[in-house]
Amino acid sequence: MKIGVLGTGMVGTALATRLAAAGHEVRMGAREATNESATKWASGRKNASNGTFEDAARFGEIVVNATGGTVSLEVLKQAGAKNLAGKVLIDVANPLDFSKGYPRLSVCNDDSLGEQIQRAYPEARVVKALNTLNADLMLDPNGLGTTDHALFMAGDDAAAKSTVRELLQSFGWKQIHDVGGISGARGMEMMLIGWLGAMKAVGNARFNWKVVTPA
Ligand SMILES: NC(=O)c1ccc[n+]([C@@H]2O[C@H](COP(=O)([O-])OP(=O)(O)OC[C@H]3O[C@@H](n4cnc5c(N)ncnc54)[C@H](OP(=O)(O)O)[C@@H]3O)[C@@H](O)[C@H]2O)c1
């Protein structure tokens, strides 16, 4: 499948690397077509290319938003509404704001970044997913030595969620909890404040959420 990954940070790089290694054709997008990280990532790599956010969105049958939550709407504007229309848009971003010296969310409670994106791009089929765990584990559930841990997804388009579920299952994910429509992104994004607290307790980022129900 052709996948456009918007973002050159650790998430964009981790996702693009695993997607390309699994045989998907991946184009990584940045503000500039000459972006150093993206160019280095694509150089000599099978199934890999890079370009602007617009190039990557146009290329992808699926588009992944792996950019900072406070700049995602600007990134998607650069990607272009026509390049997102009708496509599954996996939103991995968290609207984290560290400007006050502690982690808070720039949008929360009665709205979320996932919903803001869906409202701004009504023709995109937004699925919030993968935002609740560390980049290295997103497409490597076995990285924890077990697949008995949880992912969540939210979105208004059932077919888009099925596509995302199948993609995630192809990487070994077993526990994928559908929390409902895109307003479910509120809870998924708020989990990040808890995740940051848990990281302090664990001492590193290699952990994940687990949902336990009665046996
Ligand atoms: N780190 C994790 O393990 C983790 C886990 C779950 C979710 N997340 C979420 O995943 C997202 C990506 O995180 P990250 O650390 O990989 O990347 P990041 O540093 O948050 O974002 C990198 C991307 O943002 C773009 N960008 C920065 N400022 C911009 C601006 N003013 N206008 C337009 N684009 C701008 C950059 O463009 P250029 O390429 O042009 O520089 C780059 O592609 C975040 O929302 C984060 O909260 C992270």
Side-chain angles (χ1 to χ4, degrees):
M1 194 172 268
K2 287 183 168 182
I3 303 182
V5 175
L6 311 180
T8 59
M10 62 183 283
V11 176
T13 303
L15 294 180
T17 301
R18 290 195 186 277
L19 288 164
H24 296 286
E25 283 181 68
V26 181
R27 182 162 300 169
M28 181 185 278
R31 280 170 284 189
E32 304 292 335
T34 53
N35 180 280
E36 202 180 323
S37 308
T39 305
K40 195 170 156 201
W41 174 80
S43 173
R45 188 184 298 272
K46 206 173 162 209
N47 301 324
S49 60
N50 67 292
T52 61
F53 288 131
E54 186 181 13
D55 293 330
R58 191 187 306 116
F59 175 84
E61 296 163 276
I62 291 179
V63 180
V64 180
N65 173 35
T67 64
T70 54
V71 297
S72 290
L73 286 168
E74 172 55 31
V75 167
L76 293 170
K77 197 165 142 195
Q78 290 177 31
K82 69 177 187 304
N83 298 316
L84 301 171
K87 295 184 182 173
V88 174
L89 173 57
I90 304 177
D91 176 31
V92 184
N94 286 306
L96 283 171
D97 167 16
F98 291 93
S99 63
K100 291 188 190 292
Y102 57 89
R104 59 194 291 277
L105 298 170
S106 59
V107 53
C108 65
N109 291 332
D110 44 16
D111 200 3
S112 61
L113 177 64
E115 288 164 280
Q116 289 180 333
I117 292 173
Q118 185 64 84
R119 282 199 302 275
Y121 299 94
E123 290 184 67
R125 302 156 70 206
V126 180
V127 179
K128 189 92 201 177
L130 294 173
N131 68 307
T132 54
L133 78 170
N134 179 254
D136 288 340
L137 297 170
M138 289 175 181
L139 296 181
D140 183 23
N142 277 303
L144 292 180
T146 169
T147 54
D148 187 19
H149 50 103
L151 273 190
F152 305 90
M153 65 158 81
D156 292 338
D157 186 315
K161 285 193 285 194
S162 293
T163 300
V164 174
R165 183 182 290 279
E166 278 168 30
L167 181 67
L168 295 174
Q169 284 172 336
S170 74
F171 284 90
W173 278 104
K174 299 203 170 14
Q175 258 201 52
I176 305 170
H177 300 280
D178 182 345
V179 301
I182 191 64
S183 62
R186 296 175 195 180
M188 290 172 63
E189 293 171 9
M190 287 193 274
M191 286 169 79
L192 258 292
I193 303 299
W195 186 93
L196 288 166
M199 185 173 71
K200 269 194 193 162
V202 172
N204 65 66
R206 289 191 72 76
F207 67 93
N208 192 19
W209 303 89
K210 179 169 173 171
V211 176
V212 182
T213 55

